[in-house]
Each structure stands twice: as C-alpha cells, then as structure tokens.
Amino acid sequence: MRALGDDEIAAEITTAGGVSTPSVTLSPIREEWRCACPSGDATCPHVAAVVMLLRPATASDAGEAAGETSLQYSFVRNGDQLELEVLLVRGDSTERVTTSAAAVKARLAPGALELTEMDETVSDLLRERRVGPMLRPAMEPVLEALREADEVRLDGEVVKVGEPAPAITVRVERARPGVFRLTSYPAPDVSETFANGAALRGDVLFATQDVDLSENDREALARGRLFETAELHTLVSEVLPGLRKRVPVEIRTRLLPSLETVPPQIQFTTVREEGDVLVTPEIVYGDPPVARVTGARLQHLGGILPKRDREAEKLLNARLRSELDMQRGIPRRASGRAAVTMAEDIVAFGGLIEGDGLENIFVGPTLEPELILDDEGAALTFETEYEGETFAASAEAVFNAWRGGETLVPLETGGWAPLPDDFLEEHGHLVADLLAASRDGEHLPRSVGADVARLAEALGQPAPPNFERLRSMAHDFDGMPRADLPEGFQGELRSYQRDGFDWLTFLSEAGLGALLADDMGLGKTVQAICVLDTPSLVVCPSSVIHAWQDELERFRPGLSVHRYHAANRRLDDEADVTLTTYAILRRDIAILEERDWSTLVLDEAQHIKNPSSQVAQAACKLPARFRIALTGTPIENRLEDLWSQLHFLNPGLLGGLSDFRERYARPIADGDAEVTARLRQRVRPFVTRRLKREVESELPARTDVILHCTLSEEERAAYDAVRAATREEVVRQLAKGQGVLQALEALLRLRQAACHTGLLPGHEAPTSSKVSLLLETLEGALAEGHRALVFSQWTSLLDRVEPHLEAASIEFSRLDGSTRNRGDVVRHFQSDDGPPVMLISLKAGGTGLTLTRADHVFLLDPWWNPAVEDQAADRIHRIGQEHPVLVHRLVAEDTVEESLLRLQERKRTLSSSVLDGGDGGGGPTGLTREDLIELLS
C-alpha cells in the first residue's frame, strides 16, 4: 500500500503463494475507487478485499488512538534557511507528513485525528512545498498561524512564536562636528536571522518584515550614509520621517537639531562684474540665513532648522515676477541707468541684500581725459566728479565702451559716467594706439612719445621735452642735433649717412630702437659702425660675417673684434664687438642672453620677419641698451614683417600682433589710405629709409630693361602641354578654397617651361630660347668691356648655362649654396684680372655681397616678389659703383612670366605707401590665393 497524493491510496493483496491482485486505487474523501482488473462490476472482489483488509486495522486502532493522535510542527535549519516539518504523532510513534492534513485524516480511522483550523491553515499555506526550505512569502502567515500551536520546536528545542517585526533598525549618530551618520544594524537582541524571512530573538521565533528600501539604500545604510550641514534639513524633515514609517529609528545623539518655524524671505546677492551689476534673487530662511531653497530642496546653512513653508515661497516667487520681473536663482544683469532703477526697486521690495554690488549706483557727469606725466613716462586716464568725490575709469574701459557703441562706461569704484564722445571721435585711434603699446594697462613706453606729445597738445598740456622731440621727428629730421663721430673713426660719411648717424645717436641716447632701412647699397653698415658702443653684438648672415670684420677694421680700427662663430666658439669677454650669425644666435641664446650688451645690431633683419620663429624669439631675449635693425627690405611679404622687426626694437610700439593685424594690416590691405598714413606717421621716428633715387647724385644711374624672347615651336608645345594639364583643375580647386600646393607646383612647372624645357621632369633639351637670348646679349656687353652677374633661383638652370659660356670661351665664376670659399670667389671677381661673368643663385647671393666691378645684371627667371630681384640688382648698384648699372629681366612672351611682372608692380606699392609715403593704396605682398588664380587663369 502506498499514498499517491493528498487523498488517494494505491494497494495490492499478495497471497502466501505469491499471487497478487490487480492494483486498486481508493479515494476515501471522495468515496471513489477503481480497479485494474478487466471486470466491469461497480465493486469487484479486489476492491472489496482491499477495503476489508483496511477496515479491521483502522477499526482496531480507533478506540486505542482516539484523542492520542495529533499533528506537531518542528522547524529545522537548512543552511541559512528554515524548513518546516509537519509530524503525525500516534502514541509513541512519529511520522513526517508530506501530504495535506486532510489526506492524513482520510487515511485514518474516523475520529482518530481531529484537525484544527490552524492545521488546515498551515496545510493550505504549505501547499506543494512540504519538503525543503520554506518560501519567503509563506513564512510570515505560517508563523502567524503557528502562534496558536501548543508547541513549536526548532531543531528539537521548544520555541515561542512572536509577532512579525523588522530585522534591522536604523541608528542616527554624530560622525563629526556638523555631520551625522545614518547606519542600519540588526534589530536589538536578534541572535540569528534566516534568509527566507525569519529571525530568532532568544527563544522567540518571528517573521522578519520586509523594509521598503531600494537595494542602493540598503547598501548605503549598511555602509553608513553621511549628511553634511547643508543636508540636515533634508535629513530631519524628509529622510527620518520616511524611515520611521518602515523601520525602527534610534536617535543616539542630542546634537541633531529639531525643526523650528521661521518665515522665508528674498535675499538679493549682488556683485559687480565687468562694470555691470549682477543680482541673483534667492529664497532663504532666517536673518542671517540658516537655509536656502536650492532647486526643489531646502539647503541647511547652519544654525536652527526651519520648517519649510511652501505656500509662503510661492507668494514670494509671484512677487518677484510681478514687481521686479525676476525669477528665483536666475541672475539679472543691468548697467548704467537701468542698474540705478533696478537698485531702487530692490530696496522698495524689501528683503536681504548680500554683497556690495549696489554700492555707488549712480550716473555721474561726462568723463574728462587726463594725461599724467611722471618720471616713469605717461599714463592716460578718464575722471569725473560726483557729489564732491572723484571717480575714474581706465582708458581701456573707455575705449572698449566707445568701440562697442555704449553711451556709458563703468567707473572703477562704482557708478557710471557718459563717454567723452567728441574727444574719442577725434582722437580714438590715438587712444587705441596707446592702449596697444601699454604693457601694464597704465604706463606707456618711451617709443610712443610722439603719440603722447600729440595727445598732450590735444588736451592743452605741455609734453615732456623728449616726447616733444620724438613728435618733431615724426614730421621732419632737419632739426636733428649734430652728434660727434666716435673717437678713432677712419673715413668720411656722405651727407645722408651723416644724417643717419645723427638719427641713430639721438635714438640711442633716448633708449629707443632704430630700423635703418636705406635702400640696398647705401652704406647702412658704416652708419651702424659709427654708433657702436662697447660691448656690442652684431648678428648677421654667415656670408657677410667676414665683410663686417673688414669694415670694422677699416672704419674703427681701434675696436677689438671677436668672431663667435666656429665649432669650438667661446665668448671673449674683453672684445669690444662680437660678431655672430643667426644660426648661432638660435642655438646659443642661453649663452648670449647672459651678457648685457650696450649695442645690438641685426644685419639683414628680415631674418626675424616671422615673429613665431625661434630666431626672432631669441633676438627679443637679448638684453641691450640700444638696438638697431638693418635691412633694405623691411617689408618682404606682408606688413607683419615690419611689426616683427619693430617689436624687437621697441616692444609695444605697434601693440600685439593680433591687434596690429586688426587695426592696421587688414585695413591697409583693403586700401585704407587713412590707416596707411597713420601707420607711416607712427613708425616714422624709428624708421629711416633713403632710396637710391633720393641720393642719385652720389650714385650712378640704374636702368631696368625687359628682354623679351619668343619660345620655339617645341618649347611652346611643351609649355602649352603643362598649362593644359594643370590649369583648369587647379583653378577650380583654388576657387573652392583648396589646392594651394597643387597651384604652386603648377606655377613652378610653367616657369621652368618658360626658361628651359630641360628643367621639366622627363624632358631633355640642348638649349632654350632664353639661354640663347642671354648669350647674345651677354656677348655684346662683354665686347664693350662690361662685367655681368647672372642670377637664377635654380642652380639646375645655371648648370645649363655653363656649357654655352664655355663653348663661347667666356670665363666665369660661380657662387651658390655649395660654394665654400665665398670670400675668395668674391675677391677674385672684384679683382682687375677677375672673370667677366659670375653665375649666382638668388638664395646664396641675393644679400650680403658687394660686387661693384660688375655693371650688368641678368635675371633669368622673374618672381612675384620684387624685393628678391632688387636685392640681386643691388649687389652692384651700391656705394663704390662708378658706372651706370643696367638690370636685364629676361621674359618669355605669352607665358606666366608676363603675369608675374604685372603682379610685381602691384606688390611694390605696400612698402612704398607705408615707409616712403608713396600713393599706391597698399595691398598684401604675400602670394595670395587670388594671385595664384590670376597667374594660372
């Protein structure tokens, strides 16, 4: 016999001989039965036999077991959980029940087991989970039902069943001053907890209630959650009341503040920011504030904890909007008269005012400019008087307000004042120049003395003598005092050179830098040599370092000269003059800047035209009482070249580079004649530039001619092929803002094709039309006893000229980047028996050479920058030349070279307009995208 379920029994009868009846299934509760035999009788013999066998045993026990059979309940530990065992106790026997209580009762004799309501409730709650750990949801109702049991055991020990309770408690403690900690702990006296929802407190077993906390909150409370001072209001008014509804809370500190009733009010936080008044309204509690409304929370600031009054806060917010047009937490900015009105409205509104932003809120009388002159120089300020007190505004604030179209400017200690519009309309550009020159926003450098003198005159103030002299220099140098030539000077100065020496001497005494930009060949070196004081440092290209030594020995033989140039170089502290190169300056700046130089000369100063280059930055680091820059091309490519050199000479004169570009370079590029004149006037005291035409009585004439050549059919075919392969696509890319490198490559190939097709990749040619024209013209000049220089940018073109000179038995020398004995080559050419022709690469021989034995110059390949060609021509058209000079430009007809000549004429105008006062309208000298499109179109 075996149980099949809660109310079914399966049985078989086996005889002594081992014969078994078919299986019989009985359901006593439903009073149903069935047999596995094939008979169709309602009650077959097999069923009857099983019933008869069962009834006698049950009947025989009925009287004996009545009142002695019962269900008992015993918990057992199963890991960290509890398992409930239901036991059927009959006399001395105990049997674990794994079916329902009803099924147990059904299989017993009638009346043998009386089920209580508790038994039935527990049986229903257990359902199929009668073996193994109880499910957590059933734990609390099962224990609640078992509270009526006579006896409940846990691992054999009798326990009591208590009421459900939380298994944890939350404790509030003081962590440190002003900071409180919330921590969860097991409930008091709990000795053991079980994972499926029960706990043991002594001999009392009870169900643990779930606490309505998120997993994050549980973890935070287990670690301990801290509440800073700003969060105390949230802790007391929100967190603790919410926790008390779910879990016991234990306060273990007397320092936790309690809530008190304090009305809210508006606090206006005021600051001054860039001359404006900035007001931020906030809702606070207390005076001084103990809490502030931040977002949706009330932030505690210290002291008592106020009870929050949300209705009162709503009323304050409504008043802010209706009376002041403000919103809580949103700053309101005002300036000038609007700030005065806002301040009056805030005072009328009432509340707390924090900060000094509303102090000195007024609009005073119009500002008046004042120029302050003292031993440190000059400073420009603007002042006004209001109610017997003087208020000031910086020149920078005044100028920025005027440029921004404002009518009022904030004063330094509060308040506003109207701008002096008439003064600024007339002299605003002068104020801008002075501001750009000022290093600290107040004191002005000596280099802006001419501007200071003009401003003093405009204000009816006398200018200091030195400033007045600088102003006169800006107009005319005739009044320059004569200076004594240095002791031991050998030689004579021409009249214009003597003027240059006097000018340099004046600037040296004034502690100001000088840019000597005389045309090439007019003797800039000797003028600089005259003003050298000891110790002096001369920085020059390596190609002319020997020439400087020769000139010093010629004109001032009493000075000791040291060349700081070789690989094993070492400074000579006793030398009067030290000569070095730009490359050495860049590498050894840390050594050279350690010495205090009296005079510092940069020869060929266009080497520092790029202010971001290492050599330019190194030059600016050199300490010197007097600085001189020598260059025949102060503006090679763009106006920034001039800025870089003057920044080296007189820092601050032209302001910062970005300011210079905005106020000078761009307007001049756009043809602004007024700005051009203003820049010319500004740099005039510090730049001297004499052109050869101005001193032509002391120099032979120079004639420039253009020699046109016509390309042969083969050359024209090659040129047109290059043009067709590149022009259309490159111009289209340029128009879209791209393809600059491709355009330069195309321009290079077109220029090469115009000179000699053998220069093109993959082409060979024995000669070219231009080389033939050169030989023809050169032979005629040599036949008349002249000497000539032949320049090209490409050494490969010079390579192709050499065989034709040799074939024509014309002696020549050559100077390019590979030449090591430059001095010997130059001296040989200058000698009476020297060769009549010198081939020179522009890069190697365009500057720093004196070749006055030649009187003809041939430029084989024109370039867009006229300064490059002028430098080449001036190797012979300089002091020492005794014959008229003829400069030949060889140009191939109907090629890009003709376009280059037109471009050269436009590019000459900028240097002339800024430095010489010429009327060219100006324009950028750099090769622009528009220039490339024009050349290639």
Side-chain angles (χ1 to χ4, degrees), residues 105-181:
K105 180 180 178 181
R107 68 183 177 84
L108 297 178
L113 177 62
E114 294 297 332
L115 296 178
T116 66
E117 183 178 350
M118 178 198 69
D119 294 330
E120 294 176 348
T121 299
V122 172
S123 181
D124 290 340
L125 289 171
L126 292 177
R127 297 179 184 170
E128 282 84 23
R129 190 74 174 190
R130 304 183 191 280
V131 178
M134 287 181 57
L135 297 177
R136 186 182 184 90
M139 183 64 75
E140 183 174 345
V142 166
L143 287 176
E144 179 65 25
L146 290 178
R147 294 182 64 192
E148 299 180 7
D150 294 334
E151 183 181 279
V152 176
R153 291 178 180 271
L154 173 58
D155 284 343
E157 299 292 332
V158 177
V159 295
K160 299 176 183 177
V161 178
E163 294 183 356
I168 63 171
T169 185
V170 174
R171 186 178 300 162
V172 183
E173 300 170 300
R174 180 172 176 264
R176 57 180 182 270
V179 181
F180 295 86
R181 181 188 294 112

Side-chain angles (χ1 to χ4, degrees), residues 66 76 150 272 417 694 882:
V76 293
D150 294 334
R272 297 296 288 269
E694 298 172 356
E882 299 176 355

